[in-house]
Amino acid sequence: MDINFNKNEDYNKLLVSDLKKRFAKVKMGGGQKRIDKHHEKGKLTARERIDYLLDNDKKSIEIGAFAGEDMYAEHGGCPSGGVVVKIGYITGKQCIVVANDATVKAGAWFPITGKKNLRAQEISIENKLPIIYLVDSAGVYLPMQDEIFPDKEHFGRIFRNNAVMSSMGITQISAVMGSCVAGGAYLPIMSDEALIVDKTASIFLAGSYLVKAAIGESIDNETLGGATTHCEVSGVTDYKAKDDKDALDKIKFIVDKIGDYDKAGFSKTKAFSPKENEDDIFGILPKERNAQYDMVEIIKRLVDKSEFEQYKEGYGQTILTGYARIDGWAVGIVANQRKLVKTTASKTKSTEMQFGGVIYNDSADKATRFIANCNQKKIPLVFLQDVTGFMVGSKSEHGGIIKDGAKMVNAVSNSVVPKFTIIIGNSYGAGNYAMCGKAYDPRLIVAWPSAELAVMSGNSAAKVLLQIETASLKKRGEEITPEKEAALFDKIKSRYDKQISPYYAASRIWTDGVINPLDTRTWISMGIEAANHAPIEKPFNMGVLQV
């Protein structure tokens, strides 16, 4: 091991340490005092409910753990978006669970809460995955109602999705374990089956105070919409539970009876660990985002037996394509090669160097053909991003880089096999698109703590923004000294660097989370298992832009 390996290892392990600290803070939801008050009412927290419900001998993954981070400070914050979402197993069946966190503003819905709930439903719809809702919410957060109430991707879309999912035959089970008011009352009742916890849960369109104000009727909340009312009088709910654990036990009993699903038929064999040491990832991945390294060495530490069979290995070398298995599942890998590579021009036979992390004409062409092959063979695709964008300049433009890039984007867009994206390092500009960024419907997309997402790097963007800013100041007659220019650059870069952080992206659900690189195999494996619930229903077709 060389000194650079050790420096990289120290740096990347510190990033993972920071990730763990951030996650520990997020897990506290609204804080210990609110957790204690929750327990005093005889209720479990959202995370405790999910932990009790999921099989503890199987792995799970959390979607959107950092949603809402550093957002809504003026409203007291919204840790994890006020809702916890996990994919795991209930009596051996893979499900997605959505639980309101009532320690965060009584489980009220912020704009990011709606986005995260819709993401959970999207995962359920794409993978035909059973979804369990653990409801404990005060409804829309009124100070921000204009940002969560009326639009297509706001609160009401949840109930529209309930109806569509029901028509698709996707199992939906709701347990009302606390407040369930106003429009939110429709969610459990639009599910296949609904449970309610006695004494601590209630469902109504308007609470007792509003009823009194609206029609003059005096009634308490329990009589208005408690468990006895809805299980014995209105018939709104199907099961009464005596406490949280009883409700969760009933869900386990129901899920256990769900029949098997039609499988997509992705290839699965016995799983093997990588032959190479997975921990080496921390030493291989460089501290500097512009440094060169061999992505093949990363891949060898992610795939079974470290076996990676490259497709067109000697052609278009700034993108790696090839076949492997991850936890037994067959995958096609499309990865940005980050080291300088030699290439020979076909006409002149001259040799030149290509920059790692840049997509050239030949690498875009290779990736397009490989994606088409994986669709032909029904092999899920895994994208490993560390990309600075497409190559620029006269040679690339005359060679048709826009055309070749468009073909690659077309192939990614029209791919019918499930796609999974891991942002390892850079994810800049159109490179993000071509390598299956969030806009291109990956089934799951996560970032390592080393990731950066932006139109361009912090240095490049800061230089552009600095030119604009200094030009504006000079027009106003201000003198720009070298010292002032340096201070301005640092200020702009600091602001921009915050925006390219993987946590900034995760807080806005541009990704499904920031993960420890050592958890990558689990995310991909569970993602493909989820995708295997949904048979492919249409052929691969690139339309006008043929390969």
Side-chain angles (χ1 to χ4, degrees):
M1 300 298 177
D2 60 23
I3 189 68
N4 284 331
F5 184 98
N6 293 333
K7 286 181 178 179
N8 293 338
E9 184 177 42
D10 290 344
Y11 177 76
N12 286 308
K13 286 190 174 181
L14 281 173
L15 290 181
V16 172
S17 177
D18 178 57
L19 166 63
K20 291 177 179 177
K21 288 177 183 176
R22 287 171 180 260
F23 184 58
K25 183 179 179 182
V26 157
K27 286 175 70 174
M28 295 301 293
Q32 190 60 53
K33 286 185 178 179
R34 290 178 181 171
I35 291 173
D36 292 342
K37 287 183 179 179
H38 207 69
H39 288 160
E40 287 168 9
K41 297 175 184 178
K43 298 165 69 174
L44 301 174
T45 66
R47 291 183 181 278
E48 289 168 343
R49 287 166 176 167
I50 292 178
D51 288 345
Y52 184 87
L53 184 60
L54 296 181
D55 299 344
N56 58 22
D57 62 338
K58 295 186 183 303
K59 293 181 178 180
S60 64
I61 55 177
E62 181 168 348
I63 306 296
F66 295 104
E69 182 169 292
D70 291 333
M71 297 170 68
Y72 316 119
E74 66 276 23
H75 298 280
C78 188
S80 242
V83 62
V84 182
V85 178
K86 284 191 178 183
I87 299 175
Y89 302 85
I90 302 173
T91 64
K93 290 183 175 62
Q94 196 178 43
C95 302
I96 185 164
V97 184
V98 181
N100 299 116
D101 186 350
T103 71
V104 179
K105 289 286 191 294
W109 287 55
F110 284 70
I112 199 66
T113 316
K115 188 173 184 178
K116 185 169 175 179
N117 274 268
L118 288 169
R119 176 61 179 144
Q121 288 186 321
E122 180 182 40
I123 291 170
S124 175
I125 291 169
E126 285 181 330
N127 301 292
K128 293 185 169 58
L129 210 58
I131 186 167
I132 315 299
Y133 307 101
L134 306 181
V135 184
D136 193 346
S137 171
V140 166
Y141 183 60
L142 290 178
M144 302 187 75
Q145 63 85 27
D146 60 323
E147 297 182 48
I148 182 59
F149 167 65
D151 211 342
K152 182 178 179 179
E153 294 185 351
H154 286 175
F155 191 65
R157 188 74 171 183
I158 302 290
F159 318 127
R160 175 263 185 195
N161 285 351
N162 288 144
V164 170
M165 292 161 75
S166 181
S167 72
M168 294 173 66
I170 297 171
T171 297
Q172 301 177 82
I173 300 170
S174 288
V176 181
M177 311 181 82
S179 297
C180 183
V181 300
Y186 289 103
L187 185 145
I189 313 313
M190 295 187 75
S191 300
D192 301 336
E193 296 181 89
L195 305 84
I196 186 169
V197 178
D198 196 20
K199 306 306 180 195
T200 58
S202 56
I203 308 173
F204 35 64
L205 295 180
S208 56
Y209 291 123
L210 186 54
V211 168
K212 177 68 175 177
I215 63 173
E217 180 184 3
S218 296
I219 189 170
D220 64 272
N221 281 339
E222 183 65 25
T223 305
L224 181 65
T228 299
T229 294
H230 286 311
C231 286
E232 300 177 17
V233 180
S234 71
V236 164
T237 50
D238 306 307
Y239 307 92
K240 183 198 287 189
K242 64 178 183 290
D243 56 28
D244 280 11
K245 288 186 177 180
D246 185 39
L248 298 169
D249 285 335
K250 290 181 187 297
I251 292 173
K252 292 180 184 181
F253 189 85
I254 296 167
V255 172
D256 180 60
K257 310 302 180 293
I258 298 174
D260 203 359
Y261 55 89
D262 295 331
K263 296 177 176 62
F266 303 124
S267 174
K268 177 86 159 65
T269 59
K270 182 181 177 181
F272 291 92
S273 298
K275 183 179 176 183
E276 302 291 343
N277 185 0
E278 294 175 67
D279 277 330
D280 287 349
I281 286 172
F282 298 114
I284 295 167
L285 191 66
K287 176 180 177 180
E288 293 79 16
R289 289 276 32 90
N290 60 350
Q292 303 288 303
Y293 66 96
D294 190 353
M295 181 65 82
V296 173
E297 295 304 317
I298 297 288
I299 293 172
K300 285 180 179 179
R301 286 152 179 85
L302 295 176
V303 301
D304 291 12
K305 299 183 181 179
S306 298
E307 294 178 347
F308 177 52
E309 183 63 35
Q310 288 199 52
Y311 167 83
K312 289 184 178 288
E313 182 176 356
Y315 175 73
Q317 295 179 64
T318 64
I319 285 185
L320 301 170
T321 53
Y323 303 104
R325 288 189 181 272
I326 294 178
D327 201 33
W329 293 103
V331 295
I333 294 175
V334 181
N336 301 113
Q337 175 58 290
R338 279 309 310 258
K339 69 176 184 177
L340 285 168
V341 296
K342 289 183 179 180
T343 182
T344 303
S346 59
K347 293 181 180 179
T348 64
K349 303 297 181 183
S350 61
T351 300
E352 62 179 34
M353 300 298 293
Q354 290 186 342
F355 296 103
V358 179
I359 302 175
Y360 288 78
N361 301 70
D362 53 359
S363 49
D365 173 67
K366 177 173 81 170
T368 301
R369 292 174 180 274
F370 181 72
I371 290 166
N373 278 340
C374 286
N375 276 272
Q376 183 84 352
K377 298 179 178 69
K378 203 158 71 171
I379 300 172
L381 286 160
V382 174
F383 292 84
L384 303 179
Q385 284 196 13
D386 194 345
V387 58
T388 54
F390 285 88
M391 190 59 190
V392 296
S394 61
K395 184 175 180 180
S396 291
E397 297 294 359
H398 296 170
I401 186 65
I402 297 174
K403 176 184 64 179
D404 291 327
K407 287 181 179 180
M408 183 176 174
V409 169
N410 189 298
V412 172
S413 302
N414 286 300
S415 181
V416 296
V417 295
K419 299 166 290 193
F420 302 89
T421 301
I422 314 297
I423 304 173
I424 289 175
N426 303 325
S427 182
Y428 297 154
N432 169 280
Y433 303 156
M435 290 295 294
C436 197
K438 181 65 181 291
Y440 292 82
D441 299 320
R443 296 293 177 97
L444 294 172
I445 176 171
V446 292
W448 288 2
S450 49
E452 293 184 355
L453 286 79
V455 171
M456 61 182 75
S457 71
N459 267 328
S460 298
K463 288 175 183 176
V464 173
L465 293 168
L466 178 65
Q467 290 176 33
I468 296 169
E469 186 72 17
T470 53
S472 177
L473 291 172
K474 286 176 181 178
K475 279 185 179 179
R476 296 204 296 265
E478 293 190 34
E479 182 183 354
I480 309 298
T481 64
E483 292 78 16
K484 188 171 184 179
E485 185 174 281
L488 193 56
F489 176 84
D490 290 341
K491 181 181 177 181
I492 293 170
K493 188 175 184 302
S494 176
R495 184 175 68 239
Y496 195 87
D497 283 347
K498 182 180 179 181
Q499 294 178 357
I500 67 178
S501 159
Y503 297 100
Y504 190 91
S507 71
R508 289 151 180 80
I509 318 184
W510 299 344
T511 66
D512 292 315
V514 184
I515 68 166
N516 186 331
L518 301 183
D519 293 332
T520 303
R521 282 169 54 84
T522 297
W523 275 79
I524 294 171
S525 175
M526 289 188 66
I528 297 176
E529 182 180 347
N532 205 35
H533 286 75
I536 296 170
E537 297 175 349
K538 65 177 184 178
F540 176 67
N541 184 349
M542 285 182 61
V544 174
L545 282 172
Q546 298 298 328
V547 178

